[in-house]
Amino acid sequence: MKKLITLVLLASSIFGVAQNLISNVPNRNTTSLNGVWNYIVDPYETGYYSFHHDEYDKQAKPSNSAFFNNYHAANKQELVEYDFDKSAQINIPGDWNSQVPELKYYEGNVWFKKSFNYDLQAKKRLFVYFGAINYKADVYLNGKKLGRHEGGFTPFNYEITSIVKPKDNYLVVKVDNTRHKEDVPTINTDWWNYGGITRDVTLIEENESFVEDYHIQLKKGNTALISGFVKINNFNSAQNNITLSIPELKIHYKGKIGADGILNFEIPAKKISYWAPENPKLYEVIIDYNGQQLKDTIGFRSIETQGDKILLNGKPIFLRGISIHEENEKGGRAHTEEDALRLLNWAKELGCNYVRLAHYPHNENIIRAADKMGLMVWEEIPVYWTVEFTNTNTYKNAEEQLTAAITRDKNRACIIIWSMANETPISDARNTFIKNLVDHTKSLDNTRLISAALLTQTGADGFGTINDEIGQYLDLISFNQYLGWYGGKLENAEKIFWKTKYNKPVIVSEFGGDAKQGLHGEKNERWTEEYQEYLYIQNLKMIENIPHLSGLSPWILVDFRSPKRLLPGIQDGYNRKGLISNDGNKKKAFYIMQNWYAKKKKEY
Ligand code: GCB
């Protein structure tokens, strides 16, 4: 029996079925597969199904017509109806909508191919890592299926040790961004469904046994203890020594890995300079596993709540935030460090110490940039509006996305909030769904705060109430409201009072209204900068009166693409609630918010 289990495990690692996520990819021994790839647009999935609609990749010997075989006619007589090498080219990473004008509105299947050489030495292992593909990816190397992944904003990897050759490897990925009701997110969102391989593609070379993942943070409730785990992939008990060093803190901890391949540790630490917006201190951390070193830069800070206060390193803080979508100046998916700095520098200029990265996990570059710049982060998964709360597969999908996000980002001090959902309609099924996500999050990482952007009611009596039952499971009560845009009169702002039954910190996770940059008029004329400016002035008056208020993240930093926003001459496919236009010009409301934050900063 034991033998059989070992065999199964071996087979699964050889054929790339075991797919534990590898973390801290930027600091490993890697080769980038970014660059120019060939692509074939395949709306009928001709490269995937035979003419009687059988899936080629379920056939014992898939036909040469299967695109993942990357087949070329052997002679002039042979019929082959595709050719990657003669097909068009595109930059990867990058969405197809913003790179190819004909594909601006395309939702469906596109195949991508990259050829590469790789000389893998004996006793080494190789993995292919995708930062994100939106939405569904079928991945093949040299005609062999590595696996299928669903979820457009989280990383995944496959082992390719036994498949890779020194020359002429072909990596083929079928990407399908068709929307489905049961997916996460569901069919209806207020953002562009950018399709493609939208983040870095990386080969990771490792030893036979290596550090796969680790959690190194302050222990919850103890700012003098660094605790967590280190997990070894393919643990070999003959090599069980591990050293964890943080030279600046004079920490050189030696441990022994347990039979399960995991080291759990607690290390006392003195004189830590705690990470905070005004002191984004990151320490070099070195994990040495039998002479193989993996480095990272990690900050240490505590984040907790006490009654209606948020405490960072034991001191009350106010979250001066802004919401951000992951978009670049070309109206495409952002993914580079440069894209990240463009967005985060604007947030800094606005006076922020915090950003809400909406509505899905953003790329690792922006998280690492926020860590260095001292911006606290709210990270969320796309459980948005009406996902199928009664569907167990939908739940599984959401949980997998959450797991991947936490695995990738749990060592970043900047992340202070994991958010479970946005504006989900209340029902028993939804309450259970979110409660399960909360429990799952706590089981993976109990060092951060948990929230969700909730909906509220405003009555004719001038009171708004925040009583969503799900609030009992959350550390922070966050809610979105759109006074003066989707309802309510701005003139009444000072007469609206909010109440909540929870004695917990409250965050206004969204408010705002659209303005077309450069369009001017009276303060009661929709779409003008003056309307948006007045909306901010009045909303802020109301917000000042919210009990337990601990922060806000207005909607939104920059105008962003949305197929739902169709008003000609004004929206033209953009949600215009940005404080900055998509071409980078600040609107009047930007300065209202900037002044308010400058004032707020003095109070804390
Ligand atoms: C919301 C959503 C956000 C939308 C925004 C809007 O409440 O959370 O995704 O983009 O309103 O502009 O309507």
Side-chain angles (χ1 to χ4, degrees), residues 190-191 325 356 359 384-385 422-423 480 482 486 510 514 555 560 565 575 577:
D190 187 21
W191 70 81
H325 259 300
R356 175 185 179 199
H359 280 300
Y384 181 88
W385 291 351
N422 181 74
E423 293 184 353
N480 300 348
Y482 279 88
Y486 294 125
E510 288 180 26
D514 293 54
W555 193 255
F560 61 97
R565 309 296 176 172
N575 182 314
K577 292 190 185 68

mmCIF file of all heavy atoms in Angstrom, residues 190-191 325 356 359 384-385 422-423 480 482 486 510 514 555 560 565 575 577, ligand 1:
data_model
loop_
_atom_site.group_PDB
_atom_site.id
_atom_site.type_symbol
_atom_site.label_atom_id
_atom_site.label_comp_id
_atom_site.label_asym_id
_atom_site.label_seq_id
_atom_site.Cartn_x
_atom_site.Cartn_y
_atom_site.Cartn_z
ATOM 1 N N ASP A 190 -18.711 45.649 -13.296
ATOM 2 C CA ASP A 190 -18.509 46.998 -13.830
ATOM 3 C C ASP A 190 -17.025 47.193 -14.134
ATOM 4 O O ASP A 190 -16.410 48.161 -13.700
ATOM 5 C CB ASP A 190 -19.023 48.031 -12.818
ATOM 6 C CG ASP A 190 -19.006 49.449 -13.392
ATOM 7 O OD1 ASP A 190 -18.990 49.587 -14.628
ATOM 8 O OD2 ASP A 190 -18.994 50.416 -12.600
ATOM 9 N N TRP A 191 -16.427 46.233 -14.821
ATOM 10 C CA TRP A 191 -15.060 46.435 -15.316
ATOM 11 C C TRP A 191 -14.885 45.607 -16.574
ATOM 12 O O TRP A 191 -15.692 44.734 -16.897
ATOM 13 C CB TRP A 191 -14.006 46.110 -14.261
ATOM 14 C CG TRP A 191 -13.816 44.675 -13.889
ATOM 15 C CD1 TRP A 191 -13.101 43.737 -14.558
ATOM 16 C CD2 TRP A 191 -14.321 44.005 -12.711
ATOM 17 N NE1 TRP A 191 -13.128 42.531 -13.896
ATOM 18 C CE2 TRP A 191 -13.868 42.668 -12.751
ATOM 19 C CE3 TRP A 191 -15.097 44.411 -11.615
ATOM 20 C CZ2 TRP A 191 -14.171 41.732 -11.762
ATOM 21 C CZ3 TRP A 191 -15.393 43.479 -10.633
ATOM 22 C CH2 TRP A 191 -14.941 42.166 -10.695
ATOM 23 N N HIS A 325 -8.358 50.350 -9.710
ATOM 24 C CA HIS A 325 -8.460 49.194 -10.611
ATOM 25 C C HIS A 325 -7.093 48.968 -11.246
ATOM 26 O O HIS A 325 -6.291 49.901 -11.365
ATOM 27 C CB HIS A 325 -9.479 49.466 -11.729
ATOM 28 C CG HIS A 325 -10.818 48.816 -11.516
ATOM 29 N ND1 HIS A 325 -10.966 47.461 -11.408
ATOM 30 C CD2 HIS A 325 -12.067 49.354 -11.404
ATOM 31 C CE1 HIS A 325 -12.260 47.182 -11.240
ATOM 32 N NE2 HIS A 325 -12.949 48.300 -11.220
ATOM 33 N N ARG A 356 -7.210 50.669 -1.615
ATOM 34 C CA ARG A 356 -8.078 49.493 -1.785
ATOM 35 C C ARG A 356 -7.849 48.982 -3.205
ATOM 36 O O ARG A 356 -8.232 49.658 -4.176
ATOM 37 C CB ARG A 356 -9.552 49.876 -1.604
ATOM 38 C CG ARG A 356 -10.467 48.701 -1.893
ATOM 39 C CD ARG A 356 -11.943 49.057 -1.849
ATOM 40 N NE ARG A 356 -12.721 47.863 -2.154
ATOM 41 C CZ ARG A 356 -13.984 47.872 -2.544
ATOM 42 N NH1 ARG A 356 -14.649 49.005 -2.673
ATOM 43 N NH2 ARG A 356 -14.611 46.747 -2.799
ATOM 44 N N HIS A 359 -11.116 44.886 -7.871
ATOM 45 C CA HIS A 359 -12.043 44.079 -7.097
ATOM 46 C C HIS A 359 -11.581 42.634 -7.119
ATOM 47 O O HIS A 359 -12.381 41.711 -7.118
ATOM 48 C CB HIS A 359 -13.434 44.111 -7.739
ATOM 49 C CG HIS A 359 -14.250 45.307 -7.452
ATOM 50 N ND1 HIS A 359 -14.624 45.676 -6.163
ATOM 51 C CD2 HIS A 359 -14.792 46.235 -8.251
ATOM 52 C CE1 HIS A 359 -15.357 46.761 -6.223
ATOM 53 N NE2 HIS A 359 -15.475 47.140 -7.468
ATOM 54 N N TYR A 384 -18.218 39.246 -6.314
ATOM 55 C CA TYR A 384 -18.726 40.577 -6.654
ATOM 56 C C TYR A 384 -20.192 40.434 -7.052
ATOM 57 O O TYR A 384 -20.546 39.550 -7.848
ATOM 58 C CB TYR A 384 -17.882 41.096 -7.812
ATOM 59 C CG TYR A 384 -18.188 42.478 -8.333
ATOM 60 C CD1 TYR A 384 -17.586 43.604 -7.770
ATOM 61 C CD2 TYR A 384 -19.060 42.647 -9.409
ATOM 62 C CE1 TYR A 384 -17.835 44.867 -8.276
ATOM 63 C CE2 TYR A 384 -19.316 43.911 -9.913
ATOM 64 C CZ TYR A 384 -18.705 45.020 -9.347
ATOM 65 O OH TYR A 384 -18.949 46.274 -9.855
ATOM 66 N N TRP A 385 -21.032 41.297 -6.462
ATOM 67 C CA TRP A 385 -22.470 41.315 -6.775
ATOM 68 C C TRP A 385 -23.097 39.926 -6.636
ATOM 69 O O TRP A 385 -23.131 39.385 -5.556
ATOM 70 C CB TRP A 385 -22.714 41.947 -8.146
ATOM 71 C CG TRP A 385 -22.430 43.436 -8.179
ATOM 72 C CD1 TRP A 385 -22.159 44.240 -7.108
ATOM 73 C CD2 TRP A 385 -22.384 44.296 -9.337
ATOM 74 N NE1 TRP A 385 -21.955 45.526 -7.522
ATOM 75 C CE2 TRP A 385 -22.082 45.601 -8.879
ATOM 76 C CE3 TRP A 385 -22.551 44.101 -10.703
ATOM 77 C CZ2 TRP A 385 -21.971 46.700 -9.744
ATOM 78 C CZ3 TRP A 385 -22.439 45.186 -11.567
ATOM 79 C CH2 TRP A 385 -22.155 46.463 -11.093
ATOM 80 N N ASN A 422 -17.757 41.990 -2.453
ATOM 81 C CA ASN A 422 -18.199 43.367 -2.699
ATOM 82 C C ASN A 422 -19.678 43.419 -3.060
ATOM 83 O O ASN A 422 -20.097 42.776 -4.036
ATOM 84 C CB ASN A 422 -17.389 43.979 -3.846
ATOM 85 C CG ASN A 422 -17.793 45.417 -4.128
ATOM 86 O OD1 ASN A 422 -17.456 46.328 -3.369
ATOM 87 N ND2 ASN A 422 -18.541 45.641 -5.198
ATOM 88 N N GLU A 423 -20.445 44.173 -2.270
ATOM 89 C CA GLU A 423 -21.860 44.450 -2.566
ATOM 90 C C GLU A 423 -22.641 43.203 -2.932
ATOM 91 O O GLU A 423 -23.286 43.134 -3.981
ATOM 92 C CB GLU A 423 -21.979 45.477 -3.692
ATOM 93 C CG GLU A 423 -21.476 46.841 -3.300
ATOM 94 C CD GLU A 423 -21.691 47.898 -4.390
ATOM 95 O OE1 GLU A 423 -22.110 47.541 -5.505
ATOM 96 O OE2 GLU A 423 -21.429 49.078 -4.099
ATOM 97 N N ASN A 480 -20.302 50.597 0.968
ATOM 98 C CA ASN A 480 -20.276 51.485 -0.192
ATOM 99 C C ASN A 480 -21.562 52.294 -0.193
ATOM 100 O O ASN A 480 -22.635 51.756 0.099
ATOM 101 C CB ASN A 480 -20.238 50.680 -1.497
ATOM 102 C CG ASN A 480 -19.015 49.769 -1.594
ATOM 103 O OD1 ASN A 480 -18.078 49.889 -0.812
ATOM 104 N ND2 ASN A 480 -19.037 48.861 -2.552
ATOM 105 N N TYR A 482 -23.506 55.834 -2.379
ATOM 106 C CA TYR A 482 -23.372 56.761 -3.512
ATOM 107 C C TYR A 482 -24.324 57.942 -3.412
ATOM 108 O O TYR A 482 -25.065 58.231 -4.352
ATOM 109 C CB TYR A 482 -23.541 55.987 -4.827
ATOM 110 C CG TYR A 482 -22.258 55.290 -5.206
ATOM 111 C CD1 TYR A 482 -21.968 54.018 -4.738
ATOM 112 C CD2 TYR A 482 -21.301 55.945 -5.970
ATOM 113 C CE1 TYR A 482 -20.755 53.399 -5.050
ATOM 114 C CE2 TYR A 482 -20.091 55.344 -6.289
ATOM 115 C CZ TYR A 482 -19.824 54.071 -5.820
ATOM 116 O OH TYR A 482 -18.621 53.485 -6.133
ATOM 117 N N TYR A 486 -26.364 57.785 -7.253
ATOM 118 C CA TYR A 486 -27.430 56.823 -7.544
ATOM 119 C C TYR A 486 -28.694 57.120 -6.732
ATOM 120 O O TYR A 486 -29.702 56.441 -6.890
ATOM 121 C CB TYR A 486 -26.953 55.388 -7.278
ATOM 122 C CG TYR A 486 -25.852 54.955 -8.214
ATOM 123 C CD1 TYR A 486 -24.639 54.481 -7.729
ATOM 124 C CD2 TYR A 486 -26.013 55.029 -9.594
ATOM 125 C CE1 TYR A 486 -23.627 54.082 -8.592
ATOM 126 C CE2 TYR A 486 -25.009 54.644 -10.462
ATOM 127 C CZ TYR A 486 -23.812 54.174 -9.958
ATOM 128 O OH TYR A 486 -22.808 53.791 -10.817
ATOM 129 N N GLU A 510 -16.469 52.837 -0.559
ATOM 130 C CA GLU A 510 -16.701 53.532 -1.833
ATOM 131 C C GLU A 510 -17.663 54.690 -1.636
ATOM 132 O O GLU A 510 -18.618 54.581 -0.870
ATOM 133 C CB GLU A 510 -17.355 52.601 -2.883
ATOM 134 C CG GLU A 510 -16.460 51.550 -3.442
ATOM 135 C CD GLU A 510 -17.147 50.645 -4.472
ATOM 136 O OE1 GLU A 510 -18.131 51.082 -5.117
ATOM 137 O OE2 GLU A 510 -16.701 49.502 -4.603
ATOM 138 N N ASP A 514 -19.488 60.443 -11.345
ATOM 139 C CA ASP A 514 -18.732 60.599 -12.599
ATOM 140 C C ASP A 514 -18.513 62.065 -12.977
ATOM 141 O O ASP A 514 -19.391 62.906 -12.774
ATOM 142 C CB ASP A 514 -19.486 59.963 -13.765
ATOM 143 C CG ASP A 514 -19.584 58.454 -13.679
ATOM 144 O OD1 ASP A 514 -20.045 57.957 -12.639
ATOM 145 O OD2 ASP A 514 -19.214 57.784 -14.650
ATOM 146 N N TRP A 555 -14.292 56.062 -4.559
ATOM 147 C CA TRP A 555 -14.320 55.368 -5.850
ATOM 148 C C TRP A 555 -14.172 56.399 -6.940
ATOM 149 O O TRP A 555 -15.118 57.100 -7.194
ATOM 150 C CB TRP A 555 -15.645 54.591 -5.987
ATOM 151 C CG TRP A 555 -15.617 53.634 -7.126
ATOM 152 C CD1 TRP A 555 -16.234 53.774 -8.325
ATOM 153 C CD2 TRP A 555 -14.947 52.372 -7.160
ATOM 154 N NE1 TRP A 555 -15.969 52.685 -9.122
ATOM 155 C CE2 TRP A 555 -15.183 51.815 -8.431
ATOM 156 C CE3 TRP A 555 -14.131 51.680 -6.240
ATOM 157 C CZ2 TRP A 555 -14.650 50.579 -8.803
ATOM 158 C CZ3 TRP A 555 -13.618 50.463 -6.620
ATOM 159 C CH2 TRP A 555 -13.884 49.918 -7.895
ATOM 160 N N PHE A 560 -11.804 54.211 -15.510
ATOM 161 C CA PHE A 560 -11.438 52.864 -15.981
ATOM 162 C C PHE A 560 -12.475 52.359 -16.967
ATOM 163 O O PHE A 560 -13.628 52.777 -16.961
ATOM 164 C CB PHE A 560 -11.298 51.893 -14.802
ATOM 165 C CG PHE A 560 -12.578 51.728 -14.008
ATOM 166 C CD1 PHE A 560 -13.441 50.661 -14.247
ATOM 167 C CD2 PHE A 560 -12.935 52.645 -13.031
ATOM 168 C CE1 PHE A 560 -14.610 50.512 -13.521
ATOM 169 C CE2 PHE A 560 -14.115 52.508 -12.298
ATOM 170 C CZ PHE A 560 -14.950 51.443 -12.548
ATOM 171 N N ARG A 565 -20.738 51.257 -19.486
ATOM 172 C CA ARG A 565 -20.804 52.727 -19.451
ATOM 173 C C ARG A 565 -20.787 53.266 -20.868
ATOM 174 O O ARG A 565 -19.724 53.453 -21.460
ATOM 175 C CB ARG A 565 -19.631 53.263 -18.631
ATOM 176 C CG ARG A 565 -19.497 52.611 -17.267
ATOM 177 C CD ARG A 565 -20.692 52.903 -16.385
ATOM 178 N NE ARG A 565 -20.610 52.204 -15.100
ATOM 179 C CZ ARG A 565 -21.449 52.409 -14.094
ATOM 180 N NH1 ARG A 565 -22.459 53.272 -14.214
ATOM 181 N NH2 ARG A 565 -21.322 51.742 -12.981
ATOM 182 N N ASN A 575 -15.978 54.154 -17.056
ATOM 183 C CA ASN A 575 -16.559 54.631 -15.807
ATOM 184 C C ASN A 575 -15.743 55.872 -15.450
ATOM 185 O O ASN A 575 -14.520 55.805 -15.312
ATOM 186 C CB ASN A 575 -16.437 53.549 -14.732
ATOM 187 C CG ASN A 575 -17.067 53.954 -13.413
ATOM 188 O OD1 ASN A 575 -16.859 55.063 -12.938
ATOM 189 N ND2 ASN A 575 -17.810 53.041 -12.807
ATOM 190 N N LYS A 577 -15.729 57.847 -12.784
ATOM 191 C CA LYS A 577 -15.686 58.287 -11.381
ATOM 192 C C LYS A 577 -14.262 58.558 -10.902
ATOM 193 O O LYS A 577 -14.046 58.861 -9.725
ATOM 194 C CB LYS A 577 -16.375 57.251 -10.483
ATOM 195 C CG LYS A 577 -17.883 57.181 -10.744
ATOM 196 C CD LYS A 577 -18.649 56.374 -9.741
ATOM 197 C CE LYS A 577 -20.097 56.249 -10.149
ATOM 198 N NZ LYS A 577 -20.318 55.429 -11.370
HETATM 199 C C1 GCB B 1 -20.050 50.088 -6.983
HETATM 200 C C2 GCB B 1 -19.154 48.944 -7.323
HETATM 201 C C3 GCB B 1 -18.075 49.356 -8.302
HETATM 202 C C4 GCB B 1 -18.685 50.213 -9.396
HETATM 203 C C5 GCB B 1 -19.226 51.478 -8.769
HETATM 204 C C6 GCB B 1 -19.932 52.410 -9.775
HETATM 205 O O1 GCB B 1 -20.722 50.092 -6.009
HETATM 206 O O2 GCB B 1 -18.591 48.340 -6.198
HETATM 207 O O3 GCB B 1 -17.475 48.213 -8.828
HETATM 208 O O4 GCB B 1 -17.767 50.516 -10.402
HETATM 209 O O5 GCB B 1 -20.167 51.143 -7.795
HETATM 210 O O6 GCB B 1 -19.276 53.210 -10.404
HETATM 211 O O7 GCB B 1 -21.150 52.293 -9.905
#
